[in-house]
Amino acid sequence: MSQKIEKPVLSGQRIKTRKRDEKEKYDPTGFRDAVLSGLEKADNDLDAISKYLDTAGSKLDYRRYGEVLFDILIAGGLLVPGGSIAQDGDKPVKTTACVFAQSEDMESMRNFEQVFVKLMRRYKYLEKMFEEEMKKVLVFMKGFTPIERIKLARMTALWISNGSVPPTVLSVLINEHLVKDNLALDFLLEVFVTWKQEKGLPSLMSALKRGGIEGRLMEFVPLNKRTDEYFRSVFESADLADIVKLHKAQASQEAKRDLQQLLVDDLGDNKPIKDIVSDLKEMAQRCHIPEHEVIGLIWNVVMSQAEWNKKEELVAEQALKHLKTYTPLFGAFTTTAKSELALILKVQEFCYENMNFMKVFQKIVLLFYKTDVVSEVVIMRWYKDGHSVKGKMLFLDQMKKFVEWLQNAEEESESGEDED
């Protein structure tokens, strides 16, 4: 009987790990120490600092430790949650080659700004890391000293205005503990004042719109002070009156959208016209929306309620029937000559932009005249010099006979009064 012979087995066999498969231990403190050593040799010479950071990128792993690098260049050392510097034993490990160690004057800020500009120009992949770093650093702001916050705000204005970070990073300041202690508002004001001085007001306004900050300015104000009066006084005292105007315009746009939606909802619920008028007047008064702007919103909503016939010969009858239903609504918001003229101009603009309505303009104005929505005085004012350039000759020609009739009626009326 044959016996199966066991094959010899190697004991203590080692599987060699390829170097490329080995994972290097994450060592932010080791990276920090290496960078601090290099910065110390630069001896606060900005050119030497930039030169060191340029060459060190080929030896140190910026891709892995980019945010640590920015911690050092902003705060001087490795930031830990809360905004303090990581310590080695009892003493913090930090450098003076950082934003917080610079003088707060703008010349010093601009000079040190170039360290960041040159670094990210050389290593483009750091740009995204810098954006994430700024979001983190701004949240840590409570842990910084008042003078460090001022320096950071001034430098942030430079970074956003030169494109190093997007203006959207400012939205992280809308954080409960920063807003409550007025830190968010103080920081924002310092950024705005610096930006206005360095790049001008138009640049600041453009960035606010680009970053979606213009509509959120009130959110930076502590909840217990969140009034228009306080907002105005704070920004005007910082010589930022134009920001107040921007805020008012934005608030007005939001209020108009809300009013427009209210009208859509009321019409959708088939509310009586008198109730709709009451709702709109109450909101317009509360939100300070003038009547001549309300009438434009009403026209837009009313005209959007119908699905218009594609045939030009049929659309006139449809439009007049549709509008006749809403003449009491239009009439409630044309109590001034300015509002009447605003409505006629809205009609002109709509008919010009919708080809099927080009021949309906005169019929709509006549309907509004017969239902006392617009007066003959305003119609003649529109005809003389109050019209828009959109389709001017076509619409003036349409209205010519009617205006002549109005003028003749007025002359006959005056003649009759003279005879009496």
Side-chain angles (χ1 to χ4, degrees):
M1 187 175 177
S2 63
Q3 286 186 348
K4 198 169 184 182
I5 302 169
E6 291 185 10
K7 292 181 180 179
V9 178
L10 291 172
S11 60
Q13 184 179 2
R14 281 184 160 187
I15 299 171
K16 189 176 180 182
T17 306
R18 292 185 181 181
K19 193 166 185 179
R20 70 183 180 191
D21 295 331
E22 290 178 1
K23 280 199 172 179
E24 189 182 338
K25 182 184 174 186
Y26 183 65
D27 183 20
T29 55
F31 177 86
R32 173 204 64 190
D33 293 342
V35 172
L36 292 185
S37 175
L39 291 175
E40 188 179 352
K41 291 174 185 173
D43 196 26
N44 283 323
D45 181 308
L46 296 186
D47 288 334
I49 290 171
S50 289
K51 190 174 180 181
Y52 162 70
L53 293 172
D54 191 315
T55 55
S58 60
K59 302 168 191 172
L60 301 175
D61 194 352
Y62 285 178
R63 285 187 184 275
R64 196 173 191 197
Y65 298 105
E67 288 189 34
V68 177
L69 177 62
F70 288 126
D71 272 2
I72 296 166
L73 293 177
I74 292 172
L78 191 58
L79 284 170
V80 295
S84 58
I85 301 292
Q87 295 185 320
D88 186 0
D90 289 334
K91 87 175 180 184
V93 181
K94 60 189 297 187
T95 178
T96 55
C98 66
V99 172
F100 286 176
Q102 305 306 303
S103 172
E104 67 267 29
D105 67 89
M106 287 313 300
E107 186 178 358
S108 300
M109 293 284 108
R110 282 191 293 269
N111 289 339
F112 202 77
E113 173 201 11
Q114 290 306 305
V115 172
F116 288 84
V117 171
K118 290 174 183 176
L119 176 62
M120 285 184 282
R121 194 178 291 158
R122 175 70 175 82
Y123 299 100
K124 294 290 286 182
Y125 58 81
L126 287 174
E127 289 177 356
K128 186 62 184 172
M129 291 184 188
F130 188 43
E131 182 180 341
E132 294 306 312
E133 168 72 8
M134 282 302 295
K135 290 176 182 177
K136 178 192 79 177
V137 168
L138 292 180
V139 172
F140 285 173
M141 191 168 56
K142 197 169 185 178
F144 306 149
T145 66
I147 193 64
E148 286 172 346
R149 290 197 285 266
I150 288 173
K151 291 174 185 177
L152 182 60
R154 290 177 180 177
M155 194 61 91
T156 299
L158 296 177
W159 285 330
I160 298 176
S161 63
N162 72 21
S164 294
V165 287
T168 49
V169 298
L170 293 173
S171 61
V172 303
L173 294 169
I174 303 172
N175 178 298
E176 188 181 351
H177 74 277
L178 296 178
V179 171
K180 183 179 68 173
D181 295 335
N182 225 69
L183 297 177
L185 183 58
D186 287 344
F187 189 90
L188 191 73
L189 288 169
E190 190 64 46
V191 170
F192 286 179
V193 168
T194 303
W195 196 320
K196 182 181 175 182
Q197 290 170 350
E198 294 294 305
K199 302 291 182 178
L201 194 63
S203 170
L204 172 58
M205 297 295 205
S206 174
L208 292 180
K209 291 176 183 176
R210 200 167 62 249
I213 306 293
E214 60 171 344
R216 306 189 67 187
L217 292 172
M218 188 64 88
E219 294 179 53
F220 291 85
V221 180
L223 204 56
N224 61 341
K225 299 177 181 176
R226 206 168 283 180
T227 65
D228 287 332
E229 186 180 347
Y230 179 77
F231 183 92
R232 179 176 51 78
S233 66
V234 167
F235 278 82
E236 286 183 352
S237 64
D239 196 24
L240 292 167
D242 289 280
I243 301 293
V244 178
K245 291 178 186 174
L246 179 69
H247 169 69
K248 278 185 179 177
Q250 184 66 26
S252 175
Q253 286 301 318
E254 288 177 12
K256 288 175 191 174
R257 282 194 290 270
D258 290 343
L259 186 141
Q260 200 159 325
Q261 188 57 51
L262 174 66
L263 177 54
V264 170
D265 293 341
D266 280 1
L267 292 175
D269 294 339
N270 292 314
K271 272 194 175 184
I273 295 292
K274 64 182 180 64
D275 292 343
I276 296 175
V277 169
S278 176
D279 287 350
L280 295 184
K281 281 188 179 290
E282 190 274 327
M283 181 180 255
Q285 187 175 8
R286 189 177 72 246
C287 299
H288 308 290
I289 306 173
E291 187 184 77
H292 68 274
E293 292 183 7
V294 175
I295 197 68
L297 298 174
I298 293 172
W299 170 267
N300 291 341
V301 172
V302 166
M303 295 307 280
S304 69
Q305 295 296 300
E307 194 168 323
W308 300 108
N309 202 301
K310 302 295 181 189
K311 294 183 179 179
E312 189 178 340
E313 61 272 17
L314 297 176
V315 82
E317 185 182 347
Q318 183 192 5
L320 295 177
K321 186 178 179 182
H322 178 71
L323 287 169
K324 195 168 185 179
T325 308
Y326 298 105
T327 49
L329 178 59
F330 286 110
F333 290 90
T334 50
T335 62
T336 66
K338 190 173 184 179
S339 303
E340 290 180 38
L341 185 59
L343 177 58
I344 297 175
L345 287 171
K346 267 289 180 183
V347 178
Q348 180 183 351
E349 183 182 298
F350 182 86
C351 292
Y352 175 77
E353 291 173 355
N354 296 271
M355 285 192 65
N356 288 348
F357 283 81
M358 291 289 253
K359 294 179 181 177
V360 190
F361 174 76
Q362 186 260 4
K363 292 181 172 67
I364 294 174
V365 175
L366 189 57
L367 169 69
F368 284 152
Y369 170 71
K370 287 179 177 177
T371 52
D372 294 324
V373 174
V374 297
S375 64
E376 59 191 65
V377 174
V378 174
I379 292 172
M380 287 194 283
R381 179 180 158 193
W382 171 87
Y383 186 84
K384 185 180 178 184
D385 55 18
H387 47 260
S388 162
V389 295
K390 293 181 177 181
K392 172 183 169 181
M393 297 312 297
L394 173 68
F395 297 135
L396 287 178
D397 188 57
Q398 279 185 33
M399 294 295 294
K400 186 177 179 183
K401 287 184 179 178
F402 180 58
V403 169
E404 286 175 353
W405 179 83
L406 287 175
Q407 287 172 334
N408 291 335
E410 187 180 355
E411 287 169 6
E412 287 174 10
S413 175
E414 288 175 358
S415 174
E417 286 175 8
D418 291 344
E419 287 174 9
D420 290 344

